[in-house]
Amino acid sequence: MNRASRRYAEQESSQHAARGADAAGPVVPGEADESGALGDGAALEEFRIDLERIRFSSYFARLSDVTQVVPQSGVGPVMHNRLTHSLKVSAVARVVAANLAGAAAQHRAFARGEAVADSETGAIITRLGGCDTIVAQAAAHAHDLGHPPFGHLGERVLDRVARERLGLAEGFEGNAQTFRILTSLDTLGRDFAGLNLTAAVRASVLKYPWTRGRWVGVTAADLPIAERPRGVGNDPVNGAEKFSAYVLEVAELEQALAAFPAIGEGVQTVECAVMDVADDIAYAVHDLDDFTRAGVLQHAAVAAELQTWLAEDAALAEEPLGKIQVEWRRPGRSLELKWRSMSRKDAWIADRDAFRAAVQLVSDELADELLAAPYDGGIASERAVSGFTRRWIERLRSAIVVEAKPHMRGGHVRLNQRAWHEVAVLKFVHSSFVLESPDLAHSQRGQARVVEELVLGFDAWLSDPEDAGRAPRRLLEWVDEATEELFDLSKERPELLQGDITGTGIHRRGRARAILDYVSSFTDQQAVAAFDLLTRA
């Protein structure tokens, strides 16, 4: 197995291949060399083909009408959506990956006797399987494909309804849905399912390289939270909080990761870690553009929280947790709770002095500068927003650390301690003053109802013996495919399936998975339109 391997042999030329690139014949699993492909040039071409397949995907196009954080309606055309967010993640990932690829190239040149100095970073990158800028860009383009209508809100509703109302123990997870789209749902018009991407690109989207069930039954006594991979959570009954593959895609996950023998279990590949860091940077910084322009970040509230914590830091550190929780609405208390959560989960990197420095910087540059003058749409306001974004992107993407043996909650590629705390504070501002804002609660409750009613409505439709055959064609086909795949899995690897695996249970599970596939494929507007049709009297 190697980085350029595809799941299926391709006998047809790809529409995205450069002229003459297919002269060597189809890419067959196992034919590439151990260094990562069919030779550097051929591998690069295969990765470029993958990137174009993702760009041409209808799932990628739909992201232009999927909410990022702030809904599109009522705030003008300047707001980010999932598509523009993905493109900006790709831009950040390209620069980070290019720097790492350059270090790896220097190491290889030194090994050949063509360079005077070696690169320790390059040596680590090479041992871990390499870092290709095209693969990192492909990962960034693909990383949000699985987001349902209304972003994270829709994701939470789908997961809850799937587990509580449809009896689907795995529920729904955006990262796992992304992997399912790439490997099963999308199509190239060939005889195989999915986009048939290379192992490197498939592995690059596995931010949480395990299934939900992998962590069922694992208690804090078995493995403390601070020693678990980031995203697992602490729920021995339901399993992992975040995961990158459903049981139906386990074989795809295992094959993709098999191309990276130097990567430990539960650890991201280098390009995946680059994408993850780039996603954090883009989310922490670029989304502030939206919040500032939309006026949802108020100077007084943000400044009060940050500056009160800075002024009362020492006193707050001595307060009992219970008192802080009771008084969380008072300025400074929510930020103290954020710090305590960070220090509990990530003691390996969390440092109160570094956290204080990050709070001070964000207070100075966000509260006292960017938000000090209300955004009015003028040139001065636009320059202030753009300047803030440019400075912070450059600051964070130049704060990269590469480790051969990373902490389980870190990664081979991560932000340094300073930048890690700064991103944490920026994300705190997001969650406290935007995601939890009462101003968004009204519309979000309506959006949650749309998603829930769509799932239950389609389930009722498919349960109607007299009318089920008139359900949307794609939904019916996906029910058949998911059910057939689950029956195969129940025979080949029954240990992977949680819950009822009788014939009735398999049919129910297949229908539930197909409904989630169908509803999650809608854009925001398609979801609203479908809801209107299903519920119209």
Side-chain angles (χ1 to χ4, degrees):
M1 186 59 59
N2 57 78
R3 287 168 54 87
S5 295
R6 300 187 186 276
R7 181 70 183 270
Y8 306 101
E10 296 194 356
Q11 304 303 326
E12 301 176 31
S13 238
S14 170
Q15 64 173 318
H16 302 298
R19 182 172 297 178
D22 291 326
V27 178
V28 180
E31 284 192 349
D33 61 43
E34 291 183 356
S35 66
L38 310 164
D40 290 343
L44 185 60
E45 182 62 24
E46 294 305 316
F47 300 149
R48 283 176 176 151
I49 288 171
D50 284 359
L51 177 58
E52 296 310 310
R53 285 179 178 178
I54 293 167
R55 284 173 170 168
F56 273 69
S57 167
S58 61
Y59 285 91
F60 185 63
R62 72 172 275 276
L63 294 179
S64 64
D65 187 26
V66 177
T67 297
Q68 172 64 7
V69 177
V70 180
Q72 293 290 303
S73 58
V75 292
V78 298
M79 309 306 292
H80 284 87
N81 52 51
R82 287 284 162 184
L83 179 61
T84 55
H85 166 73
S86 296
L87 293 174
K88 290 187 175 183
V89 174
S90 182
V92 176
R94 181 188 64 80
V95 175
V96 175
N99 291 337
L100 299 183
Q106 181 180 341
H107 169 70
R108 292 195 300 272
F110 178 79
R112 295 192 301 267
E114 299 172 0
V116 176
D118 195 1
S119 168
E120 182 180 352
T121 294
I124 294 172
I125 294 296
T126 300
R127 287 196 298 271
L128 294 174
C131 182
D132 188 279
T133 57
I134 303 299
V135 173
Q137 287 180 274
H141 275 62
H143 83 284
D144 268 353
L145 292 181
H147 267 289
F150 314 121
H152 287 295
L153 172 71
E155 184 179 19
R156 291 193 299 271
V157 173
L158 285 178
D159 184 49
R160 175 179 56 80
V161 175
R163 291 194 283 165
E164 296 178 0
R165 303 294 296 274
L166 302 187
L168 187 62
E170 277 193 302
F172 181 89
E173 214 289 323
N175 291 282
Q177 194 68 21
T178 289
F179 196 61
R180 180 162 170 76
I181 288 168
L182 295 175
T183 59
S184 299
L185 299 182
D186 209 343
T187 179
L188 292 171
R190 312 280 179 88
D191 293 333
F192 47 74
L195 296 182
N196 199 28
L197 303 176
T198 60
V201 173
R202 279 178 286 153
S204 72
V205 300
L206 297 173
K207 291 175 64 173
Y208 310 100
W210 49 79
T211 62
R212 173 166 255 159
R214 159 70 179 80
W215 292 90
V216 168
V218 182
T219 67
D222 299 322
L223 188 65
I225 298 175
E227 297 177 16
R228 300 180 182 199
R230 181 170 51 90
V232 167
N234 182 31
D235 188 347
V237 176
N238 295 307
E241 179 181 329
K242 307 291 288 183
F243 55 101
S244 283
Y246 302 120
V247 292
L248 286 173
E249 283 74 51
V250 163
E252 291 277 5
L253 177 144
E254 292 172 344
Q255 191 203 50
L257 295 179
F260 297 87
I263 301 293
E265 182 181 0
V267 180
Q268 300 169 342
T269 64
V270 170
E271 286 111 343
C272 182
V274 168
M275 174 270 288
D276 200 8
V277 168
D279 189 23
D280 270 350
I281 293 173
Y283 176 76
V285 179
H286 281 301
D287 286 358
L288 287 172
D289 296 10
D290 291 349
F291 306 154
T292 303
R293 292 186 175 100
V296 296
L297 275 183
Q298 298 299 314
H299 170 262
V302 176
E305 182 69 30
L306 301 178
Q307 293 170 9
T308 299
W309 187 90
L310 288 168
E312 301 178 9
D313 174 13
L316 287 171
E318 299 299 323
E319 292 283 1
L321 176 61
K323 183 178 181 182
I324 298 293
Q325 290 173 329
V326 170
E327 299 178 342
W328 68 272
R329 290 182 182 274
R330 291 182 58 190
R333 274 60 182 173
S334 291
L335 190 53
E336 177 64 21
L337 289 174
K338 173 65 177 177
W339 159 252
R340 295 192 186 193
S341 174
M342 291 167 54
S343 61
R344 183 180 70 255
K345 294 179 180 178
D346 291 293
W348 65 280
I349 190 173
D351 177 84
R352 195 170 180 94
D353 288 339
F355 183 72
R356 180 182 174 83
V359 174
Q360 185 68 66
L361 183 66
V362 174
S363 177
D364 291 345
E365 297 200 6
L366 177 62
D368 291 345
E369 292 185 21
L370 184 61
L371 300 179
Y375 180 84
D376 60 9
I379 294 176
S381 289
E382 229 6 83
R383 283 175 175 166
V385 173
S386 298
F388 176 89
T389 300
R390 176 182 52 77
R391 291 193 307 273
W392 273 87
I393 290 292
E394 179 59 30
R395 177 182 180 84
L396 294 174
R397 74 183 182 189
S398 62
I400 300 298
V401 173
V402 177
E403 294 182 314
K405 297 180 179 179
H407 189 278
M408 180 56 72
R409 292 182 61 80
H412 290 295
V413 180
R414 63 171 176 83
L415 293 171
N416 64 25
Q417 187 181 54
R418 168 189 61 77
W420 184 86
H421 285 85
E422 290 167 358
V423 166
V425 175
L426 290 173
K427 285 185 172 182
F428 166 80
V429 173
H430 287 204
S431 62
S432 295
F433 300 100
V434 181
L435 299 182
E436 299 173 11
S437 169
D439 295 336
L440 295 180
H442 195 167
S443 63
Q444 288 175 337
R445 286 188 65 84
Q447 292 166 351
R449 184 188 170 211
V450 167
V451 174
E452 180 169 359
E453 291 296 332
L454 283 175
V455 172
L456 298 178
F458 284 118
D459 186 50
W461 193 348
L462 294 176
S463 300
D464 185 342
E466 297 183 0
D467 201 36
R470 294 200 303 151
R473 174 62 58 187
R474 178 178 291 187
L475 175 57
L476 293 173
E477 291 174 349
W478 278 348
V479 169
D480 290 341
E481 290 175 5
T483 303
E484 182 181 353
E485 291 169 1
L486 283 165
F487 270 114
D488 290 341
L489 193 63
S490 69
K491 297 172 185 176
E492 299 167 5
R493 301 181 67 175
E495 73 280 0
L496 294 176
L497 296 175
Q498 300 171 255
D500 184 4
I501 59 172
T502 64
T504 301
I506 293 295
H507 278 288
R508 178 66 174 163
R509 191 190 302 241
R511 185 171 72 192
R513 178 56 62 202
I515 292 171
L516 297 179
D517 290 339
Y518 190 66
V519 173
S520 68
S521 72
F522 290 170
T523 66
D524 291 3
Q525 294 304 312
Q526 286 173 334
V528 171
F531 169 79
D532 183 55
L533 291 173
L534 276 178
T535 59
R536 182 181 298 168

